[in-house]
């Protein structure tokens, strides 16, 4: 990662990316969100060896309400009953109160920061002599340029074919109080916002495609439980977090992996409640801690140490978070927990 001054483009700080295979046990990937979604869908819906069944995705099935026994009411009036309900409808979820009760605050509130998000094909940047030097030879793996109250962050994805950008600015959005992700972005306003950046960075931003505004929201503190009855909360519905540690998507994938392991070798639906208790035991402290630690950058962890400490039962909050974020093996830990609970080899 390189930290660039927006006026001189001198490198102020450079952080080398370690050999993640050796240190954390897995390679470092920078995914385009759509590519990751497509692969997860493929894994869930396409037959594979030794797979008895695959998931069926029902589109245009908006959920109006759920209950703790597994009943799901759709907006079209249909009602279905399931043994397990996984609530994964994001930061604006309507259903956390079903799990934690009406008296517990579950609404994620705006933080006062918004992000212009956009993608630019790397080839397009290489074709322009003004922007080419920043992307030749693979360019930066991740870069940040900062102004007084704004910062530009970018990194490559899709094996370097695309550059993913985020320009963080004060939230002055009007007329979209209940919207987070799909807020229309004015190109003229965006170009005005980046006008104080170095001319080279302005040239990069001028090539922005599919420009959108995202409002950053967070829950002030973690909820007290992730599950109740036949319902479990995962992802942003469970632990909405800011992007400063880049762990929002990662923890959501961990949630799904944990459920996949914990609900394997299921003898009957009577075991659902116990398996959800194991999920709570495995995931609650970790996602609560990361939610709080993600509210600041790695250089400001001291600001949230006190609030995060209750979720670290075996020692103090670590100074550097990469080890905490990257080293756990959720599938291994879930399997060990399940084996201990069942007192048998699976």
């Amino acid at each position: 990662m390189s930290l660039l001054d927006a006026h001189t483009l001198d490198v102020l700080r450079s952080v080398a990316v370690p050999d993640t295979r050796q240190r954390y046990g897995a390679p470092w990937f920078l995914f385009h969100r759509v590519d990751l979604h497509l692969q997860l869908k493929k894994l869930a819906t396409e037959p594979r060896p030794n797979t008895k069944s695959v998931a069926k995705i029902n589109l245009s099935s908006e959920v109006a309400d759920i209950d703790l026994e597994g009943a799901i009411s759709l907006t079209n009036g249909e009602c279905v009953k399931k043994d397990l309900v996984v609530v994964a409808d994001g930061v604006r979820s309507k259903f956390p109160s079903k799990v934690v009760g009406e008296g517990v605050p579950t609404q994620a509130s705006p933080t006062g920061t918004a992000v212009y998000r956009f993608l630019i094909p790397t080839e397009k940047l290489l074709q322009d002599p003004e922007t080419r030097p920043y992307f030749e030879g693979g360019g930066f793996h991740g870069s940040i340029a900062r102004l007084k109250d704004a910062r530009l962050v970018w990194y490559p994805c899709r094996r370097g074919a695309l550059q993913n950008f985020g320009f963080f600015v004060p939230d002055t959005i009007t007329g979209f109080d209940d919207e987070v992700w799909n807020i229309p972005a004015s190109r003229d306003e965006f170009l005005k916002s980046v006008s104080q950046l170095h001319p080279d960075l302005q040239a990069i931003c001028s090539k922005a495609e599919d420009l959108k505004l995202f409002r950053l929201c967070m829950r002030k503190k973690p909820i007290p439980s992730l599950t109740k009855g036949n319902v479990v909360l995962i992802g942003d519905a469970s632990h909405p977090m800011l992007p400063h540690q880049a762990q929002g998507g990662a923890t959501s994938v961990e949630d799904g992996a944990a459920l996949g392991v914990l609900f394997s070798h299921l003898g009957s639906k009577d075991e659902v409640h116990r398996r959800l208790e194991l999920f709570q035991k495995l995931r609650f402290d970790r996602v609560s801690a990361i939610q709080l630690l993600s509210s600041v950058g790695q250089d400001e962890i001291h600001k949230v140490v006190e609030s995060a400490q209750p979720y670290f039962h075996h020692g103090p909050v670590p100074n550097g978070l990469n080890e905490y974020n990257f080293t756990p093996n959720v599938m291994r830990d879930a399997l060990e927990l399940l084996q201990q609970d069942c007192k048998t080899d699976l």
Side-chain angles (χ1 to χ4, degrees), residues 248-279:
T251 51
S252 299
V253 172
E254 286 182 6
D255 288 344
L259 284 176
V261 173
L262 293 174
F263 277 83
S264 63
H265 303 277
L266 195 67
S268 77
K269 63 181 180 181
D270 294 334
E271 299 176 38
V272 168
H273 289 183
R274 179 56 186 162
R275 299 297 177 94
L276 289 180
E277 289 176 2
L278 297 180
F279 181 85

Side-chain angles (χ1 to χ4, degrees), residues 196-312:
Q196 298 302 309
L197 290 172
H198 186 280
D200 289 355
L201 297 182
Q202 291 185 55
I204 292 172
C205 291
S206 70
K207 303 180 190 302
E209 298 182 0
D210 194 23
L211 189 64
K212 294 180 180 178
L213 264 174
F214 292 65
R215 173 179 278 123
L216 295 188
C217 297
M218 66 176 293
R219 196 177 283 149
K220 292 184 178 180
K221 63 179 182 179
I223 55 177
S225 180
L226 310 180
T227 180
K228 188 175 182 180
N230 292 55
V231 177
V232 60
L233 307 170
I234 70 170
D236 281 352
S238 170
H239 41 78
M241 58 188 70
L242 298 182
H244 302 311
Q245 303 294 333
Q247 290 301 296
T251 51
S252 299
V253 172
E254 286 182 6
D255 288 344
L259 284 176
V261 173
L262 293 174
F263 277 83
S264 63
H265 303 277
L266 195 67
S268 77
K269 63 181 180 181
D270 294 334
E271 299 176 38
V272 168
H273 289 183
R274 179 56 186 162
R275 299 297 177 94
L276 289 180
E277 289 176 2
L278 297 180
F279 181 85
Q280 171 79 10
K281 181 177 180 179
L282 178 68
R283 298 297 295 157
F284 178 72
D285 285 337
R286 177 166 171 78
V287 298
S288 299
I290 294 179
Q291 178 184 334
L292 291 168
L293 295 171
S294 292
S295 63
V296 296
Q298 293 222 12
D299 57 340
E300 297 179 316
I301 295 301
H302 61 278
K303 295 181 178 180
V304 293
V305 165
E306 183 177 354
S307 59
Q309 186 59 63
Y311 303 102
F312 290 86

